[in-house]
Amino acid sequence: MNDLFARHRQVLPDWLALYYDEPLEITHGEGRHVWDAEGNRYLDFFGGILTTMTAHALPEVTKAVSEQAGRIIHSSTLYLNRPMVELAERIAQLSGIPDARVFFTTSGTEANDTALLLATTYRRTNTILAMRNSYHGRSFSAVGITGNKGWSPTSLSPLQTLYVHGGVRTRGPFAELNDREFIAACVDDLRDLLGHTRPPAALIAEPIQGVGGFTSPPDGLYAAFRKVLQEQGILWIADEVQTGWGRTGEHFWGWQAHGQSGPPDILTFAKGIGNGMSIGGVVARSEIMNCLDSNSISTFGGTQITMAAGLANLSYHLEHDLQGNARRVGGLLIERLRTVAAQLPGVREVRGRGLMIGVELVKPGTDEADPKSASAVLEAAREGGLLIGKGGGHNTSALRIAPPLSLTVAEAEEGAAILEQALRSAY
Ligand SMILES: Cc1ncc(COP(=O)(O)O)c(C=O)c1O
């Protein structure tokens, strides 16, 4: 065991999981590549959990951060903060939410916690609808809306949470139905649930479930849910922490695959916008955002250095049409992986869109999750020079592929070839 690993084990919590039998220390990165402490180079198809959104060591972001650090790093929300106002203006405009207000936090968890505070205060109830197989963060309130037992360390919660069907298309009681019937069955189930409970504050949902293994409902499910929710004034919170910023290629936000009934009431974001700097946040219509009648701050939320990074990163992203790149290169990658999967009985499904691709593994000839093979593929991919992630509510047997959105076609092909080798070695 190397020294740093031993020291990690000694001083950090046991539940802070590390990838790989011999964990990696990543020491630097450039573009879509990272290097470990021993000088090995890897193609990075996980981006530090979908967070390195544009590229590693993007000069535009590095310059903005160092220039801002040379002026001022932090002043708190007690003072006017130009980069924070500018980034809020841009996000408000991009969100699609009318009369939008933006509040910055330092993480996705805190963004969702804020959304829950707003929704429960606005609606004066602590009942929340969440999706089965969901993940929304690690705080006490966020684990209370987590529908994935691998990430739920306690059932104690400030909320009463009811879990709704529909986030997982190809498993569960409605899996055999076609898309239209699937949506109708989920809507019926939601209506039935609402008939048995006091009106909840909100439904919170990830348009594509991230930790859950990149699973999603058919397009339009959340639009159909929204119609039912609106009958009772129940809010819709879209957790865009993983799906935001064009990662899904076709849409800038994941909710837009369900946009027939308009934008969500509340949207939460984090991960990619800071390209690694800790930015999270909430967007909501002003009447919802302003429903709190006491002060609330986040000391670090919106601090100048993170906002400077966010502005530079977002500008680069939009100017280089990285959403279009995610659509094009992601489309090629998913097709390539589907061709490989068709030859391997252990691959149950290749799913996702844009540069958010899940590969679910099972024991060949069964529908049974295969977490051992998922770990073996992760190790073999690393051996081949490729970093990927894993997830999934079914014993963590989905591989997760989410490279920076600037991925080139050549890199996509190289990564797919390494992954193919890794899959073949496991089956
Ligand atoms: C959909 C979703 N929401 C919220 C979070 C929590 O974000 P953070 O880890 O920044 O607190 C995550 C983290 O993976 C996530 O995937």
Side-chain angles (χ1 to χ4, degrees):
M1 201 189 302
N2 77 38
D3 180 48
L4 189 61
F5 185 20
R7 285 164 59 197
H8 175 107
R9 280 267 180 271
Q10 188 63 34
V11 73
L12 296 170
D14 287 354
W15 39 261
L16 198 61
L18 286 163
Y19 274 171
Y20 308 116
D21 291 340
E22 287 178 30
L24 273 181
E25 181 191 3
I26 293 178
T27 51
H28 68 284
E30 195 184 317
R32 276 71 51 197
H33 288 92
V34 291
W35 283 258
D36 69 16
E38 279 146 31
N40 301 307
R41 188 175 92 135
Y42 303 91
L43 194 48
D44 184 5
F45 272 21
F46 206 39
I49 324 181
L50 294 86
T51 297
T52 303
M53 172 172 78
T54 46
H56 288 283
L58 188 74
E60 286 80 350
V61 173
T62 307
K63 182 166 176 276
V65 168
S66 69
E67 284 180 0
Q68 185 60 53
R71 289 193 294 273
I72 189 159
I73 291 176
H74 168 85
S75 68
S76 87
T77 45
L78 297 176
Y79 307 97
L80 285 172
N81 174 339
R82 191 170 296 273
M84 178 164 79
V85 172
E86 279 176 20
L87 190 57
E89 286 169 346
R90 297 189 72 175
I91 292 173
Q93 194 255 325
L94 287 165
S95 72
I97 294 179
D99 192 19
R101 299 290 178 103
V102 181
F103 177 70
F104 288 107
T105 66
T106 55
S107 68
T109 297
E110 201 196 342
N112 284 327
D113 184 84
T114 308
L116 293 168
L117 176 68
L118 292 173
T120 54
T121 307
Y122 182 77
R123 296 266 302 150
R124 312 206 73 71
T125 166
N126 74 336
T127 303
I128 292 286
L129 302 171
M131 304 304 293
R132 297 182 186 180
N133 197 46
S134 58
Y135 179 81
H136 298 286
R138 56 156 302 280
S139 68
F140 190 50
S141 69
V143 298
I145 52 166
T146 291
N148 180 331
K149 72 175 176 210
W151 295 91
S152 302
T154 176
S155 60
L156 299 176
S157 173
L159 303 161
Q160 182 197 41
T161 305
L162 305 168
Y163 289 98
V164 179
H165 278 292
V168 181
R169 175 67 185 90
T170 65
R171 286 188 184 268
F174 305 144
E176 303 309 321
L177 304 178
N178 67 33
D179 283 358
R180 197 179 43 77
E181 293 164 346
F182 182 95
I183 291 178
C186 293
V187 168
D188 284 349
D189 178 68
L190 175 64
R191 273 196 193 284
D192 184 62
L193 181 65
L194 292 175
H196 295 285
T197 169
R198 298 168 65 80
L203 165 76
I204 183 164
E206 305 154 85
I208 298 177
Q209 295 182 324
V211 170
F214 292 177
T215 53
S216 58
D219 287 357
L221 175 80
Y222 293 117
F225 274 2
R226 180 153 174 81
K227 279 198 193 135
V228 177
L229 300 175
Q230 274 177 330
E231 290 165 14
Q232 295 188 30
I234 302 164
L235 305 176
W236 173 26
I237 305 171
D239 178 341
E240 298 278 355
V241 167
Q242 296 214 7
T243 45
W245 320 112
R247 174 160 293 282
T248 65
E250 278 164 66
H251 307 104
F252 193 77
W253 304 109
W255 69 258
Q256 288 167 322
H258 310 267
Q260 299 90 332
S261 310
D265 300 287
I266 303 179
L267 178 156
T268 59
F269 62 84
K271 295 207 188 280
I273 180 65
N275 211 36
M277 294 297 275
S278 54
I279 306 177
V282 189
V283 191
R285 291 200 312 276
S286 66
E287 65 166 320
I288 297 172
M289 184 67 87
N290 292 331
C291 76
L292 305 183
D293 64 3
S294 67
N295 293 319
S296 193
I297 61 162
S298 168
T299 299
F300 288 120
T303 204
Q304 280 92 337
I305 196 155
T306 61
M307 298 291 101
L311 281 166
N313 194 40
L314 183 60
S315 296
Y316 184 92
H317 175 288
L318 297 175
E319 283 158 18
H320 292 81
D321 185 25
L322 295 191
Q323 179 185 337
N325 193 61
R327 186 176 62 246
R328 287 185 297 275
V329 182
L332 292 175
L333 186 55
I334 205 166
E335 280 319 310
R336 172 85 158 72
L337 294 176
R338 283 197 171 128
T339 309
V340 173
Q343 303 157 29
L344 294 171
V347 180
R348 179 174 184 270
E349 189 182 26
V350 177
R351 59 186 173 233
R353 63 206 319 167
L355 285 172
M356 192 169 180
I357 304 172
V359 180
E360 187 181 331
L361 305 183
V362 285
K363 295 185 181 143
T366 75
D367 222 14
E368 214 184 306
D370 193 356
K372 262 195 172 164
S373 294
S375 296
V377 175
L378 222 72
E379 294 281 357
R382 175 214 173 150
E383 280 296 304
L386 175 73
L387 303 186
I388 56 173
K390 57 182 177 157
H394 304 282
N395 296 323
T396 314
S397 63
L399 308 174
R400 291 198 289 160
I401 294 158
L405 304 186
S406 56
L407 187 75
T408 66
V409 171
E411 289 163 345
E413 276 168 4
E414 185 192 339
I418 299 171
L419 188 56
E420 176 174 355
Q421 273 309 108
L423 284 163
R424 287 190 191 282
S425 73
Y427 286 104

